[in-house]
Amino acid sequence: MDNKLKELREAHGYSQDQLAKQLDVSRQTIISIEKGRYNPSLPLALQMGRLFDTHVENIFFLKDGS
């Protein structure tokens, strides 16, 4: 799964640390998600969507474009 988390985070002016605090996760979690090494749980993905005022599908998507 690919994601646009880094782009959204930067567009909203969050550092990795600030975003981690907003979502109550570690900075390492944010780094791992941005690099595609970790897929967030559904509740965390939904929380991200709410924070960025967008649908989860605008943050995360399948690599094959599906």
Side-chain angles (χ1 to χ4, degrees):
M1 186 161 54
D2 281 336
N3 69 77
K4 293 183 179 179
L5 183 59
K6 182 177 180 178
E7 292 89 345
L8 281 169
R9 175 179 61 76
E10 290 175 346
H12 285 81
Y14 287 108
S15 68
Q16 289 174 331
D17 191 53
Q18 290 169 328
L19 181 58
K21 287 178 182 172
Q22 281 287 320
L23 298 171
D24 197 28
V25 298
S26 71
R27 182 173 166 266
Q28 250 341 94
T29 297
I30 300 301
I31 292 168
S32 293
I33 293 170
E34 287 184 356
K35 292 184 181 253
R37 293 187 300 220
Y38 173 75
N39 293 325
S41 65
L42 182 56
L44 180 56
L46 290 169
Q47 192 177 358
M48 289 176 183
R50 193 173 299 128
L51 179 67
F52 294 125
D53 194 30
T54 191
H55 295 283
V56 172
E57 296 89 342
N58 293 331
I59 305 171
F60 300 97
F61 48 93
L62 297 175
K63 288 183 182 183
D64 66 4
S66 301

